[in-house]
Amino acid sequence: MGGLLTATRRAERPERVASDPRYTEWQRDLYVSHWRVADALGKLADADSIKHWRQAHDILQGIVDRGLFVSPSDREELKQIKAKLGKEK
């Protein structure tokens, strides 16, 4: 449960990412935090999971859109998140 608590705390501090939107590492940390929270909430059938899937998508898609480095595994994750949200690939 400690991992979920850490992920939740990171997901609740987007101002850290907003203070320097070029800092990809922070953005990735925030996307991963939203992903973890969404996954945990989804397993509990909590409707709030969709909010975190959207946040994870928007952050990761923003990194891609700015032409910053995104690992192949994160690109695959983006495809999976889009599928969860019903967005086109």
Side-chain angles (χ1 to χ4, degrees):
M1 192 66 155
L4 178 58
L5 182 58
T6 300
T8 302
R9 285 183 182 151
R10 285 184 183 157
E12 292 174 347
R13 292 187 287 174
E15 70 279 356
R16 195 170 171 197
V17 171
S19 67
D20 190 350
R22 296 166 295 159
Y23 195 31
T24 309
E25 183 179 347
W26 284 359
Q27 292 173 356
R28 187 183 184 284
D29 287 348
L30 187 58
Y31 131 70
V32 169
S33 294
H34 280 291
W35 187 97
R36 288 179 177 162
V37 171
D39 187 55
L41 291 176
K43 289 177 182 174
L44 299 172
D46 188 314
D48 281 343
S49 68
I50 195 73
K51 174 179 81 171
H52 291 281
W53 286 124
R54 284 186 188 121
Q55 288 292 326
H57 169 271
D58 292 348
I59 292 165
L60 189 51
Q61 186 64 56
I63 294 169
V64 169
D65 290 348
R66 286 189 300 281
L68 301 172
F69 175 77
V70 176
S71 72
S73 62
D74 284 342
R75 287 185 184 276
E76 186 58 37
E77 242 355 280
L78 182 58
K79 288 179 187 176
Q80 292 177 16
I81 293 169
K82 285 179 178 184
K84 286 182 186 295
L85 294 173
K87 294 181 180 264
E88 289 187 19
K89 294 180 182 175

